[in-house]
Amino acid sequence: MTSHDDRFVHYLRAKESVDDRALHRPTLASLEDRLEARAESRSGEPLRVVSVGAGTGAMCRRLLSWGVFDAHDEIKYVLVDRTRGMADNAAAAFAEWARAAGWTAEPTSNGFRIDRHGRSVSLTYVTSDIFEAMAVLPKAIDLVVAHAVLDVLPLRRAVAALLSRLTDDGLFYAPITFDGRTAFRPSHPADDAVLGAYHETMRGDDRAGPDTGTDLLTALPDLGAPVVAAGGSDWVVHPPHDDEARLFLDRILGFVEESVGEAVGEAVGEADAVDRETLDGWLRARHDALAGDELAYVAHNLDVLAELD
Ligand SMILES: C[S@@+](CC[C@H](N)C(=O)[O-])C[C@H]1O[C@@H](n2cnc3c(N)ncnc32)[C@H](O)[C@@H]1O
């Protein structure tokens, strides 16, 4: 992994507690109810889950910790991510978590298996692009989890590929899907220019763009999977900050710097181009506010749950 990837892994770790607070509980409860009904109607069958853009597997650990899979004694969980080296970070995170949570862990040929109180979870990590992974996975997935990833994929193509691997009544869960609003406080005169440009950099032929959450509400039913639950899962990070929150916000500012910095001087969609001086002044003010423990940040996300028709 590059040092850039290492920083990204630290960001993912810091993001876990922000996501914990943000996740839309009614949508999660609806997922749990549907998994329970599934366990009853398919007694004796394992639950097969595929997580795409899985990163270090935070959502899998969270769903297990929060009891969302409790109706199932046997779970086969495949994590797909294209970043090389992410699998090792996931293995380390699972090993640490399993020890602390009282699961016994045992290596298998392509991952490892964890067991606790009669519940067994086989974990397999696949380092691959999602489209390549979907082309080879059997049409036998009960639940797809696409956590904080759809905005960087071509939306309809990605959703169609993922739905094509689901079993009858299969579930599609897309938590923390970015949905068009980023805000910082204290406010700054260049907020509209910089954040408008930031959102414009999210557009492109192979990217779902800044309104992915809302777009999912029509893309899923159009592709045969009506939405059964959805709600806001906004990130809200305000002072006073602990070290993790500071690291998280520093990385968010880094994402703005990298993406808007690349587009400096270019026309970015309908938004005015941002010049380097404006961007640098804005970043300086934001980093000063972060250092002074004054920076607040809000990003609007949606959690969406759909079921194959
Ligand atoms: C914002 S991170 C989210 C990671 C994890 N879901 C989380 O929230 O902790 C997005 C992840 O998607 C992966 N990713 C992006 N495009 C992908 C693709 N086409 N195929 C597979 N993985 C992809 C990236 O490598 C990255 O780890």
Side-chain angles (χ1 to χ4, degrees), residues 8 11-12 15 19 52-56 58 80-83 86 128-131 147-149 152-153:
F8 189 67
Y11 158 75
L12 290 182
K15 181 169 99 62
D19 282 354
V52 292
T56 64
V80 178
D81 199 292
R82 70 174 174 193
T83 300
M86 196 62 94
S128 162
D129 183 80
I130 73 152
F131 294 105
H147 170 211
V149 66
V152 299
L153 298 170

Side-chain angles (χ1 to χ4, degrees), residues 172-252:
F172 181 102
Y173 180 49
I176 315 287
T177 304
F178 184 66
D179 196 42
R181 179 168 187 255
T182 307
F184 290 93
R185 291 291 183 276
S187 56
H188 184 280
D191 277 344
D192 287 352
V194 172
L195 297 175
Y198 177 51
H199 291 159
E200 286 304 318
T201 65
M202 297 178 187
R203 294 187 202 281
D205 290 345
D206 56 354
R207 302 191 59 156
D211 301 320
T212 307
T214 303
D215 289 341
L216 262 184
L217 300 177
T218 46
L220 280 161
D222 285 355
L223 294 165
V227 172
V228 292
S233 49
D234 295 356
W235 284 340
V236 182
V237 184
H238 59 85
H241 301 307
D242 59 16
D243 288 349
E244 285 215 325
R246 255 189 300 280
L247 194 153
F248 175 81
L249 290 174
D250 182 71
R251 264 302 58 219
I252 296 285

Side-chain angles (χ1 to χ4, degrees), residues 253 281-295:
L253 294 177
W282 185 88
L283 285 165
R284 243 188 336 269
R286 292 305 177 211
H287 281 291
D288 285 351
L290 180 56
D293 210 15
E294 285 174 347
L295 188 65

Side-chain angles (χ1 to χ4, degrees), residues 63-74:
L63 293 174
L64 286 166
S65 295
W66 289 5
V68 176
F69 295 139
D70 275 5
H72 292 268
D73 289 335
E74 191 187 354

Side-chain angles (χ1 to χ4, degrees), residues 80-102:
V80 178
D81 199 292
R82 70 174 174 193
T83 300
R84 242 158 244 300
M86 196 62 94
D88 293 339
N89 283 287
F94 271 104
E96 188 187 331
W97 168 84
R99 246 193 326 271

Side-chain angles (χ1 to χ4, degrees), residues 61-128:
R61 292 188 292 281
R62 180 181 290 113
L63 293 174
L64 286 166
S65 295
W66 289 5
V68 176
F69 295 139
D70 275 5
H72 292 268
D73 289 335
E74 191 187 354
I75 300 157
K76 295 186 182 296
Y77 205 114
V78 177
L79 303 111
V80 178
D81 199 292
R82 70 174 174 193
T83 300
R84 242 158 244 300
M86 196 62 94
D88 293 339
N89 283 287
F94 271 104
E96 188 187 331
W97 168 84
R99 246 193 326 271
W103 294 80
T104 57
E106 202 181 288
T108 58
S109 59
N110 53 5
F112 54 102
R113 210 179 81 147
I114 56 172
D115 292 86
R116 191 181 69 171
H117 307 319
R119 176 163 303 116
S120 153
V121 187
S122 82
L123 294 156
T124 307
Y125 207 101
V126 178
T127 300
S128 162

